[in-house]
Amino acid sequence: MVTIADVARHAGVAPSTVSYVLTGKRSISADTKSRVRESIRTLGYQPHVTDRGTSSSRTGVIGLVLPLRAGMHLPGMMRFVTAAVTTARRHDMDLLLMTADDGASGLRRAANSAQVDGFLVMDVEMDDDRVPLLRQLSKPSVLIGHPATARGLTCVDLDFEAAGAKCVDHLADLGHRSIGFLGAPSAVYRRSTGSAHRTMNGFSAAAMRRGVAATALSVEDDHDSVLRATKALVRAHPSMTALVVHNEAALGWITACLRASGRQVPGDVAVVAICPDELAEQMSPPLTSVRLPAEELGRHAVDLLAAKLDGKQPPPLMLLPPRLSRRASTPDPALVHRRAAQSG
Amino acid sequence: MVTIADVARHAGVAPSTVSYVLTGKRSISADTKSRVRESIRTLGYQPHVTDRGTSSSRTGVIGLVLPLRAGMHLPGMMRFVTAAVTTARRHDMDLLLMTADDGASGLRRAANSAQVDGFLVMDVEMDDDRVPLLRQLSKPSVLIGHPATARGLTCVDLDFEAAGAKCVDHLADLGHRSIGFLGAPSAVYRRSTGSAHRTMNGFSAAAMRRGVAATALSVEDDHDSVLRATKALVRAHPSMTALVVHNEAALGWITACLRASGRQVPGDVAVVAICPDELAEQMSPPLTSVRLPAEELGRHAVDLLAAKLDGKQPPPLMLLPPRLSRRASTPDPALVHRRAAQSG
DNA sequence: CTGAAAGCGCTAACAG
DNA sequence: CTGTTAGCGCTTTCAG
């Protein structure tokens, strides 16, 4: 193993000089600098990152705290992760995986053991028990998702309120006057999951603003519940012509269940989903959707953390604007009328 | 920050003693041991992992080299990754992510910088250019997938030959005498991807052994190619009653394309896929499949690496036996005949 | 602008 | 069984 001392000897300078060339923490004459660089190259020196004089200095490693709960959207997570590693490498950093079920103790372990310079915490909820700890920790962190109060933290998230609103606006623009909302299982709302609550709030507020009738229902993750929910919705609101779905499990069944309730998609009922793009594309008919921007979140999260590590103070909350991709499930009104005329 | 020296002082022993209590590398009297433990607890000591006396000693970190190529099966990778982190934690280790596009240089960087104790290398191919490097590296590694020659390495992989054979056996047992095989795009075979070649070899050998007619075709990743392939297959082998598909992209289209070629699934043609379970379940009809065991691979890979780090010498190649899950696409012959009779 | 030297927290001989 | 001591590779004072 070639050490900094070997380089120093080879270049005819002191070890500390080599160190300074590496870190750039003090000015070195162009001459010595190039001589040292040369020696580094010819000897094939690689800094022994693990041991940087211990006390000060960074490790170049970011802890990525993954949620391992069941029912996570695996492809979405993987997208986030790969975007995060790629971005981290651009900042000359690496990612250390940590499971969320290590929970608070795992965070503390990693923080104190000086393994990492900071944390990326995925899937943060409204009143996440890791949040108080993160505030105390001396290491900076960036949360994906945001708790009830983001004070003193840095968070990135999709703007779920705007997402809910965007769905309504899209549908209202198409002329729909009565819109339903199928949300997550009630347990998710009880857990006070940020994305679920915020989306529904955004949906309701936008419905008020646009003066359209709105009915929201929480729905469980099984086929029967979805069927019951759609039937109830159709019975209670016969005039309902559009549905916003924020429940990935329900997506696969929704078209069939609506049909079983006497409604065709998109002929009788237009559907907008809030879900990963690929999921929306797989449905038949493909669903208009507001996408969950995994890659952007990963990129921004790492960039924000890197900024913090450089002593900058990014804003506490970065909300990504929702983007809606229009697909077959929300056709133009003219088209719908023609179809309706054809079929009835 | 509370150091080992603080603990030593508090417990009235030498720093080294504390160190030995921690590592268990020499026997300590029960008395001192408990006294030290007590001090550790009350002072809230956490080992400063980053700096373990530099020279010897492990970092407790495993490098996980991910392939970031397009077209990877994201949910499967995520399954592998989560199984790997979980298992790693059981060995008191963490996982450091590395992208494969860092390639050989990335491996070298991580190895020399002493960031990691060893590597997990995903998605290894027959003649992978990282393999020679891995042999040279002083750090141990475990490969997922296996190169042409596994000498001097440790590999875990699904036994793809057995998988191909298992498909044939299942179909032959059901009475099928003429079986087709739809493989990966030809580019994949040219790249000499292990799983593709081995599966096909297993398929062909088993077909010989069972005395059934077999025809294999490579097929590109688009709808048109799949359609052309099925049509060609049906025309050339009108008596073909079963199909093995080892191509994830093709799966979604296969049923429709067979129908377009005048064959119903499973009435006229039974189908077995080699793919992640969840994919097979999503198809309609759900496909009988040999699963890609992401979790098992993750678990075994980490266990093997941990064993190597403990100085053990695991066998160079661990092949997981294929498991076939039967679904609607390979019904009993009796049922098929009844259906065939019904429909024509 | 550069060198010498003193640690950093921990481990591993070396001595009892 | 335990304490003393000498490093590990690198950073960072402190002196030029």
Side-chain angles (χ1 to χ4, degrees):
Chain A
M1 150 138 285
V2 35
T3 79
I4 219 171
D6 299 325
V7 176
R9 212 168 310 126
H10 186 270
V13 297
S16 55
T17 304
V18 178
S19 173
Y20 285 122
V21 170
L22 259 6
T23 60
K25 288 196 179 172
R26 83 182 184 193
S27 37
I28 308 275
S29 72
D31 180 41
T32 5
K33 203 184 291 189
S34 72
R35 204 142 34 87
V36 169
R37 288 252 166 73
E38 182 55 28
S39 302
I40 288 182
R41 189 133 19 83
T42 64
L43 296 187
Y45 166 78
Q46 291 280 140
H48 185 140
V49 179
T50 312
D51 187 316
R52 288 190 187 273
T54 225
S55 47
S56 59
S57 218
R58 292 160 39 168
T59 66
V61 177
I62 297 174
L64 173 59
V65 185
L66 292 177
L68 250 46
R69 293 195 230 102
M72 300 299 319
H73 188 253
L74 264 15
M77 278 182 57
M78 199 65 216
R79 287 226 158 86
F80 177 93
V81 171
T82 52
V85 262
T86 309
T87 311
R89 286 305 308 146
R90 274 214 294 280
H91 291 282
D92 258 303
M93 317 244 298
D94 287 295
L95 245 46
L96 188 75
L97 289 182
M98 322 185 52
T99 68
D101 43 43
D102 276 5
S105 79
L107 281 183
R108 188 166 269 131
R109 176 181 66 85
N112 292 335
S113 65
Q115 274 187 102
V116 300
D117 296 331
F119 296 97
L120 252 38
V121 186
M122 283 192 76
D123 203 43
V124 170
E125 305 199 338
M126 292 281 242
D127 56 349
D128 203 296
D129 53 338
R130 294 168 299 186
V131 167
L133 174 60
L134 287 171
R135 271 189 234 272
Q136 286 168 18
L137 248 39
S138 54
K139 311 264 159 107
S141 53
V142 171
L143 318 193
I144 292 85
H146 62 289
T149 151
R151 195 172 37 76
L153 299 167
T154 308
C155 310
V156 223
D157 205 353
L158 171 62
D159 187 338
F160 280 98
E161 292 213 2
K166 189 148 201 157
C167 295
V168 171
D169 281 332
H170 174 63
L171 292 168
D173 287 347
L174 292 176
H176 295 277
R177 315 307 305 159
S178 175
I179 307 180
F181 182 92
L182 247 40
S186 56
V188 171
Y189 289 93
R190 262 183 267 117
R191 228 175 41 209
S192 73
T193 303
S195 63
H197 276 282
R198 293 187 182 106
T199 306
M200 226 196 39
N201 291 345
F203 169 84
S204 306
M208 296 293 262
R209 181 163 44 70
R210 299 292 300 243
V212 309
T215 326
L217 230 57
S218 129
V219 57
E220 304 307 307
D221 274 349
D222 61 285
H223 182 273
D224 269 12
S225 304
V226 177
L227 186 58
R228 254 177 294 139
T230 51
K231 287 205 163 156
L233 223 42
V234 165
R235 184 151 17 90
H237 305 272
S239 63
M240 185 190 77
T241 59
L243 196 54
V244 174
V245 184
H246 188 206
N247 181 324
E248 288 183 17
L251 281 182
W253 300 309
I254 196 67
T255 303
C257 288
L258 277 168
R259 180 163 316 165
S261 314
R263 295 288 190 277
Q264 298 269 2
V265 176
D268 303 314
V269 174
V271 173
V272 179
I274 298 170
C275 69
D277 255 9
E278 41 163 30
L279 218 82
E281 276 162 7
Q282 281 171 18
M283 299 297 132
S284 74
L287 303 179
T288 293
S289 70
V290 168
R291 59 191 298 249
L292 260 22
E295 279 96 347
E296 284 90 327
L297 286 173
R299 239 186 28 237
H300 284 123
V302 173
D303 283 338
L304 284 173
L305 188 54
K308 288 181 87 168
L309 289 171
D310 286 348
K312 288 169 198 148
Q313 307 224 323
L317 180 56
M318 174 171 195
L319 287 180
L320 306 187
R323 288 212 312 241
L324 183 142
S325 301
R326 187 149 176 209
R327 301 199 180 81
S329 66
T330 60
D332 282 324
L335 189 61
V336 174
H337 290 144
R338 215 180 314 138
R339 284 249 215 119
Q342 278 174 356
S343 67
Chain B
M1 150 138 284
V2 34
T3 79
I4 220 171
D6 299 325
V7 176
R9 212 169 312 128
H10 186 270
V13 297
S16 56
T17 305
V18 177
S19 174
Y20 286 122
V21 169
L22 259 6
T23 60
K25 288 197 177 171
R26 82 181 184 193
S27 36
I28 308 274
S29 72
D31 180 43
T32 6
K33 204 184 291 188
S34 71
R35 204 140 36 88
V36 169
R37 289 253 166 74
E38 182 56 27
S39 302
I40 289 182
R41 192 137 13 86
T42 64
L43 296 188
Y45 167 78
Q46 291 281 139
H48 186 141
V49 180
T50 313
D51 185 313
R52 287 191 188 269
T54 227
S55 49
S56 58
S57 217
R58 292 156 42 165
T59 67
V61 177
I62 297 173
L64 173 59
V65 185
L66 291 178
L68 249 46
R69 296 196 225 99
M72 301 297 321
H73 187 253
L74 265 14
M77 279 183 57
M78 199 65 216
R79 287 228 158 83
F80 176 92
V81 170
T82 53
V85 263
T86 310
T87 311
R89 285 308 305 148
R90 274 215 292 281
H91 291 282
D92 256 304
M93 317 243 304
D94 287 293
L95 245 46
L96 189 75
L97 287 182
M98 321 185 53
T99 68
D101 43 43
D102 277 4
S105 79
L107 281 183
R108 190 166 267 130
R109 175 181 68 84
N112 291 335
S113 65
Q115 274 187 104
V116 300
D117 296 330
F119 297 97
L120 251 38
V121 186
M122 283 192 75
D123 204 41
V124 171
E125 306 199 337
M126 293 281 242
D127 56 348
D128 202 297
D129 52 338
R130 294 168 299 185
V131 167
L133 173 61
L134 286 171
R135 271 189 234 274
Q136 287 169 16
L137 248 39
S138 54
K139 311 265 160 112
S141 52
V142 170
L143 318 193
I144 291 85
H146 63 290
T149 150
R151 194 174 38 76
L153 297 168
T154 308
C155 309
V156 222
D157 205 353
L158 173 62
D159 188 340
F160 280 99
E161 293 213 2
K166 188 146 204 161
C167 296
V168 172
D169 282 331
H170 174 63
L171 292 168
D173 287 347
L174 292 176
H176 295 277
R177 315 305 308 158
S178 175
I179 307 180
F181 181 93
L182 246 41
S186 56
V188 172
Y189 290 93
R190 262 182 266 117
R191 226 174 42 210
S192 74
T193 302
S195 62
H197 276 281
R198 294 188 182 107
T199 306
M200 226 194 42
N201 291 346
F203 169 85
S204 307
M208 297 293 262
R209 180 162 45 71
R210 298 292 301 243
V212 308
T215 325
L217 230 58
S218 129
V219 58
E220 304 306 307
D221 274 349
D222 60 284
H223 181 272
D224 269 12
S225 304
V226 177
L227 186 58
R228 254 177 296 137
T230 50
K231 286 204 162 155
L233 223 43
V234 165
R235 182 149 20 88
H237 305 271
S239 63
M240 186 190 78
T241 59
L243 195 54
V244 174
V245 184
H246 188 204
N247 181 321
E248 289 183 17
L251 281 182
W253 300 307
I254 196 67
T255 302
C257 288
L258 277 169
R259 180 163 316 166
S261 313
R263 294 289 190 276
Q264 297 271 3
V265 175
D268 305 314
V269 173
V271 173
V272 178
I274 298 171
C275 70
D277 256 9
E278 40 161 31
L279 219 80
E281 277 162 6
Q282 280 170 21
M283 299 297 132
S284 73
L287 304 179
T288 293
S289 70
V290 168
R291 58 191 301 246
L292 261 21
E295 279 96 349
E296 283 90 327
L297 287 173
R299 236 185 32 234
H300 284 123
V302 173
D303 283 339
L304 284 173
L305 188 54
K308 288 182 88 168
L309 290 172
D310 285 349
K312 289 168 199 149
Q313 306 222 325
L317 181 55
M318 172 171 196
L319 287 180
L320 305 187
R323 288 214 310 243
L324 184 141
S325 302
R326 186 147 177 213
R327 302 201 181 80
S329 65
T330 60
D332 283 326
L335 189 61
V336 174
H337 290 145
R338 214 180 314 140
R339 284 248 216 121
Q342 279 174 355
S343 66

